[in-house]
Amino acid sequence: MHKSTASTKGLLIGLPEPVFQDIHQLPGNFILDGECIGDVFYSFDLLMFNNQDLRPNPYHQRLTALMNLLASAQHRFIKYATTAFTAREKTRFHQELKKGNQEGVVFKRLDAPYTPDRPNSGGPQLKHKFYATASCVVAKINVQRSVEVRLLNCDGWVPCGNVTIPANHKIPAVGQVVEVRYLYAHRESNALYQPIYEGPRSDVDVEECLLTQLKYV
């Protein structure tokens, strides 16, 4: 596999080195669908394997093939996105995710073929978020592992408050796009309430970091 991945815009972007090294431990040629957050790749679908296009296959077949592939070698930086099947499993998993302050869940039909682009309510999959997230641009590096973030509107850049960078993350550079999770935004100041740093976003352009992303109270 090449040392790159395709973004949601279809552009090739570099993989983090730890993910690239782990991918080389897996056998065969394949295309994974997933998301890089920091140095970890979260995989939730297998689109091609050994030159066979799996996208027309039902999701449960692709999921089984993905689980078999990831189980075939040791890797620390490629994670399998946990899936629940029964009503009881879904209820328990939903409660665990909310208790653990996770972002949300994606519901998929087991008999559905692969659908490109982001999940939506009009197709065979639906993304449900517990918290809001926004792709922001780092405006300034503060003291004590904190950065100021900003978003773009028709009048220019708008400051949206500060977010603390956890010790297990590198401090991002000014001008870098980062993902921030938050509860809501204050309408008067556009500041994010209870922001949590999620990591860098190499698949989002600076011009896409718009103020219209924000969810207000």
Side-chain angles (χ1 to χ4, degrees):
M1 188 173 179
H2 296 295
K3 188 180 177 179
S4 62
T5 185
S7 70
T8 54
K9 300 173 64 178
L11 302 176
L12 289 179
I13 55 176
L15 281 172
E17 186 64 26
V19 176
F20 177 63
Q21 295 298 332
D22 272 1
I23 282 178
H24 270 280
Q25 304 303 316
L26 298 174
N29 298 312
F30 51 86
I31 297 177
L32 299 174
D33 189 12
E35 181 177 9
C36 261
I37 300 180
D39 284 341
V40 178
F41 183 82
Y42 293 89
S43 181
F44 39 75
D45 212 333
L46 179 61
L47 308 187
M48 297 193 71
F49 184 70
N50 286 342
N51 300 319
Q52 180 183 0
D53 188 358
L54 304 181
R55 289 171 291 187
N57 295 355
Y59 175 59
H60 68 86
Q61 293 183 8
R62 303 195 311 275
L63 185 62
T64 299
L66 172 64
M67 294 171 67
N68 290 336
L69 173 64
L70 296 183
S72 64
Q74 298 259 342
H75 44 81
R76 294 176 53 201
F77 299 96
I78 302 175
K79 304 292 186 181
Y80 163 67
T82 304
T83 303
F85 296 93
T86 67
R88 179 177 295 182
E89 289 175 342
K90 292 174 184 177
T91 300
R92 183 178 67 250
F93 190 35
H94 183 273
Q95 293 171 347
E96 290 175 353
L97 289 173
K98 292 198 71 174
K99 185 177 180 180
N101 293 323
Q102 300 301 312
E103 179 182 345
V105 295
V106 175
F107 298 94
K108 293 185 178 182
R109 289 179 58 95
L110 287 175
D111 60 351
Y114 175 76
T115 303
D117 300 325
R118 297 181 178 180
N120 58 78
S121 57
Q125 52 188 13
L126 170 66
K127 188 171 186 178
H128 171 67
K129 287 189 175 183
F130 305 141
Y131 291 85
T133 59
S135 298
C136 306
V137 176
V138 176
K140 183 176 66 174
I141 299 176
N142 305 316
V143 296
Q144 297 180 343
R145 300 190 62 85
S146 171
V147 299
E148 179 183 308
V149 295
R150 62 184 183 178
L151 292 170
L152 188 63
N153 72 357
C154 58
D155 298 320
W157 290 103
V158 176
C160 297
N162 301 312
V163 57
T164 299
I165 309 300
N168 61 331
H169 284 275
K170 295 180 180 178
I171 297 178
V174 172
Q176 187 171 2
V177 178
V178 297
E179 194 76 2
V180 180
R181 187 175 73 192
Y182 64 100
L183 195 58
Y184 58 83
H186 296 280
R187 190 171 297 277
E188 297 79 9
S189 63
N190 295 304
L192 306 181
Y193 180 68
Q194 294 186 0
I196 297 175
Y197 181 75
E198 295 283 280
R201 289 296 301 266
S202 57
D203 59 335
V204 177
D205 293 337
V206 170
E207 293 78 11
E208 297 179 274
C209 299
L210 302 177
L211 191 67
T212 52
Q213 296 177 84
L214 296 189
K215 180 186 77 173
Y216 296 97
V217 292

